[in-house]
């Protein structure tokens, strides 16, 4: 587990690949984002932006969260406080996604000296190196307990 003392600005984390399947894309969309361009291949082909079936951006975000939890083992968990995200390209069936995250700032808490706000810039990339999502996040990271 990583504590505040274990991380530095510029530290980078890279995840494993995660493949987006047709079944998972349709299942997620059916439950959380039931729009034709996520559920129906023919309707998606006619869409002026997607021109083919695309995963929900929220599905891509959920996969990113999974990969974060595996790749950035922060003690106390990944406790987010703020996020700014973009989806510059659609995620497609068969895409193998991975994340590349970098710590961009560490700001000690002014009111609680056992933690700091750690800023990350994350890119979610597919197997071709295309960026399908970017996130700038702020997360709470805790110091090692005094007994350690």
């Amino acid at each position: 587990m990583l504590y505040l003392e274990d991380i530095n600005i510029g530290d980078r984390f890279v995840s494993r690949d995660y493949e987006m399947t047709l079944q998972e894309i349709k299942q997620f969309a059916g439950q959380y984002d039931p729009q034709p361009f996520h559920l129906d291949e023919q309707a998606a082909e006619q869409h002026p932006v997607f021109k083919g079936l695309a995963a929900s951006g929220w599905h891509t975000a959920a996969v990113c969260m999974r990969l974060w939890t595996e790749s950035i083992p922060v003690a106390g968990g990944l406790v987010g406080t703020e996020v700014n995200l973009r989806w510059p390209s659609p995620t497609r069936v068969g895409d193998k996604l991975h994340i590349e995250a970098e710590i961009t700032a560490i700001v000690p808490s002014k009111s609680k000296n056992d933690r700091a706000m750690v800023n990350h810039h994350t890119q979610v990339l597919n197997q071709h190196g295309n960026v399908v999502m970017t996130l700038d996040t702020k997360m709470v990271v805790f110091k090692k307990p005094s007994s350690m």
Side-chain angles (χ1 to χ4, degrees):
M1 287 285 135
L2 297 174
Y3 290 91
L4 187 58
E5 295 86 351
D6 302 321
I7 60 173
N8 297 289
I9 294 171
D11 285 353
R12 294 181 52 82
F13 303 88
V14 178
S15 75
R16 68 176 174 92
D17 287 345
Y18 184 97
E19 186 169 354
M20 300 293 280
T21 66
L22 177 64
Q23 177 183 353
E24 185 179 354
I25 287 171
K26 286 186 174 187
Q27 182 179 2
F28 185 97
Q31 189 165 0
Y32 299 108
D33 193 355
Q35 299 187 74
F37 45 86
H38 299 318
L39 293 166
D40 180 323
E41 290 91 342
Q42 282 125 1
E45 289 293 331
Q46 305 306 313
H47 193 275
V49 173
F50 295 113
K51 297 178 178 33
L53 195 76
S56 168
W58 298 113
H59 185 182
T60 302
V63 168
C64 177
M65 187 69 211
R66 172 61 188 244
L67 296 173
W68 264 346
T69 63
E70 294 174 359
S71 304
I72 309 174
V74 174
L78 296 170
V79 180
T81 64
E82 186 177 322
V83 66
N84 178 8
L85 67 95
R86 293 181 54 244
W87 295 288
S89 302
T91 298
R92 304 288 188 179
V93 173
D95 274 354
K96 292 176 181 67
L97 304 180
H98 76 276
I99 65 164
E100 297 181 8
E102 181 175 351
I103 296 174
T104 58
I106 300 172
V107 181
S109 173
K110 292 178 182 164
S111 61
K112 297 178 178 152
N113 60 1
D114 68 335
R115 66 194 73 180
M117 194 65 60
V118 175
N119 298 8
H120 296 81
H121 175 72
T122 302
Q123 292 185 312
V124 181
L125 300 104
N126 66 18
Q127 70 277 12
H128 305 295
N130 298 326
V131 177
V132 298
M133 189 172 81
T134 63
L135 302 97
D136 290 296
T137 57
K138 293 182 180 181
M139 295 184 190
V140 178
V141 177
F142 297 93
K143 291 181 180 179
K144 289 179 183 170
S146 56
S147 63
M148 291 186 88

